[in-house]
Amino acid sequence: MDIKLTSKMILEKEFKKNFKGYNVEEVDSFLDEIIQDYETFEKVVAQLREENRQLKEEVETTPKKQSVAPANGTTNFDILKRLSNLEKHVFGSKLYE
């Protein structure tokens, strides 16, 4: 994306005056509002670029998280098997009726 205008370019823009042209004061007033918006946009863009730079730096310096298997070697299958055995013990044959 290329930005074609800056607040300085808007400020320095001169228009030709005609007999039946626009009201100079109205045009100047409107351009002043546009300049203020552009200055605000420039500040916001600068802040966002800085925040983006900081976040990219943080991502690069933060160690990657790795999924770690349980230290005791227990897997989900082992847990389900143990749970099933526990249910059989507690509820007995009622589960299979």
Side-chain angles (χ1 to χ4, degrees), residues 66-75:
Q66 297 178 358
S67 59
V68 179
N72 62 3
T74 306
T75 63

Side-chain angles (χ1 to χ4, degrees), residues 5 15 38 42 61 89:
L5 298 174
F15 297 92
Y38 262 75
E42 289 170 352
T61 59
H89 179 72

